[in-house]
Each structure stands twice: as C-alpha cells, then as structure tokens.
C-alpha cells in the first residue's frame, strides 16, 4: 500500500511546555493531531482545574488560523492533591485525567508523589468517578538499575495498586518493555498503554553504540531489541489497549548536548510519519488507524474524529534542526534521516 487515508489522529501524551516554547510545539502538533493530552510537568506544575484552564488558553493562543486543535488537559498529582479535585476533573470540559510521576522519576517530577500509598484516598475517588490515572511507570530508588525500573514498578507498585482498585481506569504511559506489554494484556479493559515512536523505531544500541547519542535519551530509557520487537507486535496487533502517545518532549539543543543532558525526544514535527514508518516495517500499515485514531478516543470516552489525513509513500528528510528558543535550536528525533512516509492532505 502506497497511500493511506485515516481519521485524524490524536496524541494521548505530549509535552508542550509554556511561554516561548509554545510557538514551536503547538503548530507542530496541530499540523497532524486534533486532540493532544498536554502533560502538566511545567515549572510550577499544573495542579488544579483552574490552572489547567489557564494553561489551555495559553496554548490556544498559538494555534494557527483555521486549524482545529483541541488540547486535553491533565492535572499533576502531588502528595497534597485533595480528593475533591477529582469531582472537579469529572465536571470539567477541558481536563480529562491526572498524571502521577513518582517523585524524582524524570523531568520536573520533584513535586510528584513520594509514595503512592499516601494518595490512595485520592485514587479511590478516581476509581469511583472513572477518571483516568496516567502513570509514569518507573520506580526511583537509587539502587535500582535504570533498565529495570519499569519492571520493578509493575511488580512493586502496579500489582498492589490494581489489587486495591480493580476498576481503576489507568494508562501506563510510554511503555518500553515486554514485561509492561504483557502486564497490560493480562488486565481488564480498564488498563491501557501508550507507546512512543522512539520505542518502536529504536533500541538502546541506537542510543549507545558508536558514541552516546543524546537525542535518543528519554525516560523510560530505550531498552534492548527484544523489548522493541514486542512493542512493535502489540502496537500493530489491533488490540485497543495500545494507542498513540508520542511523549514528544522538547529540550533545547544546549540542554541535550550537555554533560548532564535532559531526557526527552522531540518527535512532534514528524510524529505520524514516524509511526507510519514503524507500522510499515512490520507490514501492518493497515493497523495504523486503530492505534492512532480510534483506540485512544474510545478509552477516554470521547468521540472519534471525523476529519481525515492522507499519508503517502514519499520519502522526506527530517530537518537537521528547527527554531526553538531565541538563541537555542531544537534537534528533532531522527534529525537528518530520510523516512518513507509523508502527509499529503488533511494535516494543515
Ligand atoms: O524523556 C522524558 N521527557 N520522559 C519524561 O517522562 C518527561 C519528559 C520531559 O518532560 O522532558
Ligand atoms: Zn512524558
């Protein structure tokens, strides 16, 4: 198949940041996606429904003329989140979920939850109101190897959590291991997962062999090839528990090419084409639409989009760099490389 028309996709996990960054991130995402779940790990984090509404307005100010774009907001879970905030999320038209970062797990997660058992009284409300809990699924103890942190989270945090709250609606974000994929497969329909383009297209050799490649560094970190293979299998299987979430996470070039480089891959400008590349490599391009445009909306209980986009097999070269901050560019994921697919219509 050399051409595919699909319902407009949505991105169920992206970092847009704030201020100057929005000039770059909003048009890049809005070119292809309708709904985007906007991560709340700003400095300071987005903790209440009213803060989320104000952030949404700052985002909307950067949507290009004539483009339909519907940012979906998420609150940042802290040790101090009050149970009553959950009913406010449920009643809100703009906020769809709450995101739990274990404190210290990743970028701007210092205000995250220090011990999940401390917030079980809030999680009880999430289960009651069927508000999705979005999870960064890694333990943070110093003594746990970085490549084992997702698996340990499944065993030590998620298993007891789901035993306590069996009907909790939950998305295990940006899964990176066969262990996580199998865990999600074993649960009921209330448990789903997002998968990023970098975890489908790359593995830790791309990050580390022949020199450290900071633009492939993200969290959870890329794993070995056997995990990549399982992620490709589940993403392209047509199982509605797995859907698109780029985790596009912009950091300026100077913050990535640094002795202490930031975690995050900036995939937003070419995201749907990168996913098309991965699905096509598996001979499963016909499964892209479910993953990109149906399953996430269905899980969140939102209507599917009605517009379409068309992708064709037409090579394009990803930019080497893109404008970002006044004196600091951004390097997109897979910069300077040629991919096989291009959006020809629908995307604006
Ligand atoms: O690589 C990552 N970057 N992983 C995250 O969980 C956060 C993100 C960011 O905000 O930069
Ligand atoms: Zn993220």
């Amino acid at each position: 198949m050399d051409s595919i028309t699909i319902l407009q996709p949505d991105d169920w996990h992206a970092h847009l940041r704030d201020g100057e960054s929005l000039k770059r991130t909003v048009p890049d995402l809005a070119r292809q996606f309708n709904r985007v779940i906007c991560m709340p790990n700003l400095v300071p984090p987005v903790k209440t429904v009213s803060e989320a509404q104000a952030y949404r307005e700052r985002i909307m100010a950067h949507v290009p003329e004539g483009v339909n774009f519907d940012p979906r907001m998420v609150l940042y879970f802290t040790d101090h989140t009050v149970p009553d905030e959950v009913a406010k999320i449920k009643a809100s038209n703009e906020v769809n979920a709450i995101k739990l970062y274990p404190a210290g797990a990743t970028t701007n997660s210092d205000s995250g939850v220090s011990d999940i058992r401390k917030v079980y009284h809030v999680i009880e409300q999430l289960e009651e109101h069927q508000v999705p809990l979005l999870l960064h699924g890694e333990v943070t103890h110093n003594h746990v190897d970085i490549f084992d942190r997702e698996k340990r989270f499944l065993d030590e945090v998620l298993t007891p959590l789901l035993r306590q709250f069996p009907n909790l609606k939950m998305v295990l974000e940006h899964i990176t291991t066969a262990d996580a994929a199998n865990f999600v497969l074993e649960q009921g329909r209330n448990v789903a997962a997002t998968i990023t383009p970098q975890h489908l297209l790359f593995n830790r050799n791309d990050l580390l062999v022949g020199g450290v490649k900071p633009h492939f560094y993200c969290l959870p970190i890329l794993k070995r090839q056997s995990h990549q293979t399982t992620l490709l299998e589940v993403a392209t299987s047509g199982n509605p528990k797995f859907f698109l979430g780029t985790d596009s996470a912009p950091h300026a070039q100077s913050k990535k090419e640094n002795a202490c480089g930031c975690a995050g891959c900036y995939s937003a400008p070419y995201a749907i084409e990168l996913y098309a590349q991965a699905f096509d490599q598996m001979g499963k391009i016909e499964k892209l639409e479910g993953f990109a445009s149906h399953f996430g909306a269905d899980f969140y209980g939102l209507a599917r989009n009605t517009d379409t986009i068309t992708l064709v097999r037409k090579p394009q070269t990803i930019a080497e760099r893109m404008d970002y901050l006044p004196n600091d560019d951004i390097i997109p994921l897979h910069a300077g490389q040629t991919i096989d697919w291009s959006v020809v219509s629908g995307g604006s």
Side-chain angles (χ1 to χ4, degrees):
M1 225 193 298
D2 288 336
S3 165
I4 176 172
T5 296
I6 61 173
L7 285 185
Q8 192 179 9
D10 301 304
D11 182 352
W12 301 100
H13 182 138
H15 299 266
L16 285 72
R17 315 291 190 217
D18 209 349
E20 280 283 315
S21 302
L22 296 175
K23 284 189 197 158
R24 171 88 261 158
T25 58
V26 176
D28 281 349
L29 289 162
R31 179 186 71 88
Q32 60 210 294
F33 298 115
N34 180 22
R35 275 81 56 100
V36 168
I37 285 268
C38 303
M39 284 292 139
N41 61 335
L42 306 183
V43 188
V46 179
K47 290 188 286 206
T48 63
V49 168
S50 58
E51 286 166 4
Q53 285 163 338
Y55 179 35
R56 189 173 188 278
E57 280 174 26
R58 300 197 294 281
I59 293 169
M60 289 308 286
H62 293 273
V63 178
E65 265 312 298
V67 173
N68 284 331
F69 188 59
D70 181 12
R72 300 281 90 214
M73 310 312 287
V74 175
L75 303 192
Y76 187 112
F77 212 145
T78 75
D79 284 348
H80 310 291
T81 302
V82 293
D84 285 355
E85 201 68 34
V86 176
K88 291 188 194 157
I89 298 176
K90 190 69 187 177
S92 148
N93 288 326
E94 287 102 6
V95 184
N96 287 87
I98 186 160
K99 172 71 186 268
L100 190 151
Y101 291 97
T106 186
T107 309
N108 302 335
S109 63
D110 300 349
S111 321
V113 169
S114 58
D115 178 345
I116 197 161
R117 286 165 301 189
K118 283 193 193 162
V119 296
Y120 269 19
H121 60 296
V122 182
I123 295 178
E124 198 177 287
Q125 290 299 303
L126 295 173
E127 186 185 43
E128 164 88 25
H129 290 276
Q130 289 290 288
V131 168
L133 174 67
L134 314 186
L135 283 167
H136 183 109
E138 290 190 288
V139 297
T140 54
H141 323 296
N142 260 335
H143 62 273
V144 179
D145 190 278
I146 188 169
F147 292 100
D148 298 336
R149 288 179 173 203
E150 185 172 274
K151 160 89 174 96
R152 292 282 292 266
F153 187 87
L154 303 173
D155 299 341
E156 293 166 23
V157 181
L158 265 197
T159 301
L161 179 73
L162 284 167
R163 200 176 300 130
Q164 182 88 11
F165 304 106
N167 298 315
L168 181 65
K169 218 169 158 150
M170 197 199 87
V171 185
L172 190 53
E173 300 286 345
H174 42 52
I175 59 168
T176 64
T177 57
D179 309 279
N182 291 329
F183 182 93
V184 170
L185 284 170
E186 284 160 15
Q187 310 303 316
R189 284 295 290 270
N190 54 316
V191 177
T194 54
I195 307 182
T196 76
Q198 64 266 26
H199 292 101
L200 292 176
L201 288 168
F202 309 108
N203 61 60
R204 66 196 196 181
N205 278 13
D206 297 292
L207 171 69
L208 295 169
V209 172
V212 178
K213 318 283 188 346
H215 300 291
F216 284 126
Y217 175 58
C218 64
L219 289 171
I221 197 163
L222 294 175
K223 304 297 191 301
R224 62 170 68 244
Q225 190 183 23
S226 57
H227 292 296
Q228 180 194 358
T229 302
T230 301
L231 296 176
L232 281 164
E233 282 167 6
V234 295
T236 61
S237 68
N239 187 320
K241 286 168 154 278
F242 301 95
F243 48 82
L244 188 157
T246 60
D247 197 19
S248 176
H251 292 278
Q253 182 177 10
S254 69
K255 296 282 194 310
K256 293 287 293 174
E257 298 172 9
N258 187 296
C260 185
C262 291
C265 299
Y266 190 54
S267 59
Y270 304 89
I272 194 65
E273 294 95 327
L274 289 164
Y275 281 110
Q277 185 85 11
F279 276 63
D280 192 32
Q281 277 170 17
M282 294 292 284
K284 294 280 183 65
I285 192 74
E286 76 284 359
K287 298 286 190 192
L288 181 65
E289 185 175 33
F291 177 84
S293 317
H294 297 171
F295 305 151
D298 297 351
F299 182 86
Y300 276 88
L302 298 169
R304 292 180 185 177
N305 293 323
T306 49
D307 290 348
T308 58
I309 67 167
T310 298
L311 290 134
V312 294
R313 192 187 298 280
K314 177 172 152 238
Q316 62 167 325
T317 301
I318 294 182
E320 293 277 2
R321 59 181 59 250
M322 301 176 110
D323 292 339
Y324 187 45
L325 302 179
N327 292 310
D328 218 344
D329 288 346
I330 193 160
I331 311 295
L333 180 65
H334 215 27
Q337 303 302 308
T338 299
I339 51 174
D340 299 334
W341 291 83
S342 303
V343 173
V344 286
S345 69
S348 25

